[in-house]
Amino acid sequence: MADTEEGFGLPTTPADSESKELQAETKQDTQLGATSKSPTSPQAAFTQQGMEGIKVFLHERELWLKFHEVGTEMIITKAGRRMFPSYKVKVTGLNPKTKYILLMDIVPADDHRYKFADNKWSVTGKAEPAMPGRASSPGRDVGRGRRAVTPSIPTGCPFLLPVPQIILNSMHKYQPRLHIVKADENNGFGSKNTAFCTHVFPETAFIAVTSYQNHKITQLKIENNPFAKGFRGSDDMELHRMSRMQSKEYPVVPRSTVRQKVSSNHSPFSGETRVLSASSNLGSQYQCENGVSSTSQDLLPPANPYPISQEHSQIYHCTKRKDEECSTTEHPYKKPYMETSPAEEDPFYRSSYPQQQGLNTSYRTESAQRQACMYASSAPPTDPVPSLEDISCNTWPSVPSYSSCTVSAMQPMDRLPYQHFSAHFTSGPLMPRLSSVANHTSPQIGDTHSMFQHQTSVSHQPIVRQCGPQTGIQSPPSNLQPAEFLYSHGVPRTLSPHQYHSVHGVGMVPEWSENS
DNA sequence: TCTGGCACTTA
DNA sequence: GTAAGTGCCAG
């Protein structure tokens, strides 16, 4: 779904893109919610990689915040369900001469299973093991307790393959992430010193559910999702529902007869308390390679609807210039990540992420490892290419939902470029679980912006797609390569990495909206 | 909890 | 008119 907002207008030429962009950013930051301002790394190598100026903005952040404040829930079904709000980001600061791969994934936010009782979410036990590293076709692999969300297909993307899905567990919390991997000719993907950064928007975290638990979320969905328009205007159903929930305190009112709007303020749920809101660590946090992180309370909702503060601080492992130090106007202060990790400061965080303190070094849990594999994309069962189960994903580093921008020492790919690239991440101590992502190698960037919308819920994203000019790109550069679709493990061998304009989704099929 | 049919909507 | 995306709700 192409984004047509003027705010996403892009410079037409790389030469003046920077200056124009900077001006534009000033106007857009508030609207979009600047979340990442990649600093220039003190590491010369990284600076050479050209990742220092990358910024990522979450589109419709205000809406996300509304949901987040209440406690975002995403419906998951067998057939798959779109996410709402949609995950839409704008990336700026890309080097016009460099090709990038944008990936998106959804990872477990913690190791807990939740329940919704007494109008609040609370931990009810340990999370169930995630699916092994395998993607599924719609309706497949969605066994007991596991459902999927079907990623939406990019507008204009001639995606003829079954929509892949990411399998998620109901009543579990997840965190979408965005990864930007540099993949140009001089530094092909999978090669040594591959630069990448990961961006996490804490406000996009959600709990997967089979039916909405919090009526406030239902109302927000109805009010904001056009497809739910039919439920707007009258809260008869709400009354009906309330009457049921309140033991006939209200009469059961037929939907067709009730037209009186019920103010949310009068909702019996309006007075709900938010557990641990006071101790919530909702600050968006940057994590930089240079050991600097920043936290901004103002970036996030005032209260944490979830029982524990595992709202991952917005952590960015980015290499930035010292003078920027990962800071943005929305991240007024920063602190050394290693010195004051959320896990160390916040007991709830610690309880939520008991094993996250060893960031970048090891998996939190075995379950986390499985989940990492889970998010690694794999081809549909019928696809001849090997699945991730064949990959030593267990050796992947433990990378919670924080973002990272770094030059990771990745081993050159022995096999096909981009194929099984997740396996190569095993050697990169800082490489997140990139497999379950939608990636997108930017075309020859005449544009320094890249916008991608991810609309989906949960599902394995088994397909690596290459969305060319007709894949939802509004004003495709004339020099774009033709669109091609790639299996995550079956990349056409005739293509070199830098020829791609691909969407590798292991988790979601983002809708690309790339302005140029 | 979860499912499938339903009414309603957008595209 | 059709296909597909919504939440509702009885079971």
Side-chain angles (χ1 to χ4, degrees), chain A residues 16-313:
Chain A
D16 60 353
S17 64
E18 286 296 328
S19 59
K20 290 182 178 179
E21 182 179 314
L22 288 176
Q23 297 175 2
E25 286 310 314
T26 303
K27 302 176 182 177
Q28 299 174 13
D29 280 6
T30 299
Q31 168 188 355
L32 299 172
T35 60
S36 169
K37 194 173 185 179
S38 300
T40 296
S41 169
Q43 303 172 358
F46 196 85
T47 301
Q48 293 171 0
Q49 299 288 331
M51 301 286 286
E52 62 276 7
I54 294 176
K55 299 180 225 173
V56 180
F57 305 87
L58 177 64
H59 185 49
E60 293 184 325
R61 180 168 169 271
E62 294 302 319
L63 184 58
W64 275 104
L65 288 173
K66 284 183 180 178
F67 281 87
H68 184 77
E69 188 172 354
V70 177
T72 309
E73 299 173 24
M74 293 290 178
I75 292 286
I76 55 175
T77 68
K78 273 185 178 179
R81 196 79 153 191
R82 282 188 179 183
M83 287 179 68
F84 187 87
S86 58
Y87 194 96
K88 222 174 184 181
V89 299
K90 170 191 161 189
V91 180
T92 65
L94 301 177
N95 187 333
K97 297 180 181 178
T98 303
K99 295 178 185 296
Y100 300 88
I101 302 170
L102 303 189
L103 309 96
M104 183 179 180
D105 65 357
I106 305 176
V107 297
D110 53 43
D111 295 326
H112 298 296
R113 179 186 179 84
Y114 293 85
K115 68 176 179 181
F116 190 78
D118 299 327
N119 298 321
K120 65 177 182 290
W121 285 101
S122 58
V123 173
T124 185
K126 187 175 178 61
E128 294 186 13
M131 289 287 287
R134 185 178 190 81
S136 70
S137 298
R140 297 189 59 144
D141 294 335
V142 284
R144 183 180 58 185
R146 294 193 176 95
R147 297 296 176 264
V149 173
T150 301
S152 61
I153 298 178
T155 302
C157 198
F159 197 59
L160 303 178
L161 300 170
V163 178
Q165 301 177 338
I166 297 175
I167 309 303
L168 300 186
N169 283 320
S170 180
M171 311 306 277
H172 288 61
K173 190 180 178 185
Y174 294 93
Q175 173 68 64
R177 303 183 306 178
L178 171 69
H179 312 277
I180 302 174
V181 182
K182 185 180 178 183
D184 63 345
E185 297 182 15
N186 297 327
N187 184 19
F189 187 78
S191 67
K192 291 181 179 178
N193 300 324
T194 295
F196 73 94
C197 55
T198 300
H199 304 269
V200 174
F201 298 92
E203 56 269 46
T204 61
F206 63 87
I207 291 182
V209 297
T210 55
S211 63
Y212 291 123
Q213 306 295 306
N214 189 339
H215 92 114
K216 288 184 176 180
I217 287 297
T218 303
Q219 287 306 111
L220 279 174
K221 299 260 184 176
I222 290 174
E223 292 170 6
N224 295 281
N225 192 331
F227 285 102
K229 204 174 186 176
F231 300 100
R232 298 178 190 172
S234 72
D235 289 272
D236 50 323
M237 284 183 290
E238 189 62 23
L239 275 179
H240 185 86
R241 187 182 179 186
M242 288 161 56
S243 66
R244 293 158 49 91
M245 297 177 66
Q246 297 184 8
S247 303
K248 303 185 178 78
E249 184 174 331
Y250 290 89
V252 176
V253 183
R255 295 169 51 175
S256 58
T257 61
V258 178
R259 289 297 169 211
Q260 185 174 11
K261 183 174 181 65
V262 178
S263 169
S264 60
N265 292 334
H266 299 147
S267 165
F269 305 100
S270 61
E272 74 177 67
T273 57
R274 297 194 179 96
V275 181
L276 303 183
S277 59
S279 60
S280 297
N281 183 357
L282 291 175
S284 293
Q285 186 172 76
Y286 280 69
Q287 292 293 337
C288 304
E289 269 323 289
N290 56 13
V292 175
S293 64
S294 64
T295 300
S296 173
Q297 297 295 338
D298 62 324
L299 247 187
L300 294 165
N304 181 2
Y306 300 126
I308 46 184
S309 62
Q310 70 289 46
E311 295 318 310
H312 292 284
S313 295

Side-chain angles (χ1 to χ4, degrees), chain A residues 269-458:
Chain A
F269 305 100
S270 61
E272 74 177 67
T273 57
R274 297 194 179 96
V275 181
L276 303 183
S277 59
S279 60
S280 297
N281 183 357
L282 291 175
S284 293
Q285 186 172 76
Y286 280 69
Q287 292 293 337
C288 304
E289 269 323 289
N290 56 13
V292 175
S293 64
S294 64
T295 300
S296 173
Q297 297 295 338
D298 62 324
L299 247 187
L300 294 165
N304 181 2
Y306 300 126
I308 46 184
S309 62
Q310 70 289 46
E311 295 318 310
H312 292 284
S313 295
Q314 195 161 335
I315 305 171
Y316 297 99
H317 279 248
C318 303
T319 53
K320 297 184 178 183
R321 281 183 291 272
K322 282 266 184 171
D323 56 358
E324 290 183 334
E325 301 240 337
C326 307
S327 65
T328 68
T329 54
E330 296 182 83
H331 297 74
Y333 67 91
K334 35 198 169 292
K335 57 185 175 182
Y337 168 69
M338 297 307 294
E339 294 177 6
T340 57
S341 71
E344 296 170 9
E345 291 186 327
D346 189 337
F348 293 105
Y349 185 101
R350 184 159 52 244
S351 65
S352 301
Y353 303 100
Q355 298 166 45
Q356 278 191 2
Q357 300 183 42
L359 296 180
N360 311 338
T361 56
S362 62
Y363 271 119
R364 289 173 291 170
T365 63
E366 181 180 354
S367 141
Q369 295 179 13
R370 286 195 296 269
Q371 292 183 340
C373 296
M374 159 187 169
Y375 286 105
S377 82
S378 62
T382 55
D383 194 71
V385 298
S387 71
L388 278 180
E389 290 171 336
D390 301 325
I391 303 173
S392 57
C393 46
N394 283 344
T395 61
W396 290 2
S398 171
V399 183
S401 301
Y402 58 80
S403 68
S404 59
C405 245
T406 185
V407 179
S408 84
M410 300 178 65
Q411 296 301 318
M413 302 182 94
D414 296 330
R415 304 177 66 177
L416 304 177
Y418 291 90
Q419 183 177 16
H420 293 176
F421 70 87
S422 59
H424 295 278
F425 295 155
T426 61
S427 60
L430 290 176
M431 203 57 179
R433 297 166 289 206
L434 296 176
S435 51
S436 63
V437 183
N439 76 39
H440 164 270
T441 301
S442 64
Q444 298 179 15
I445 304 173
D447 55 333
T448 55
H449 299 240
S450 166
M451 170 91 157
F452 103 77
Q453 174 184 14
H454 163 239
Q455 287 187 338
T456 195
S457 326
V458 286

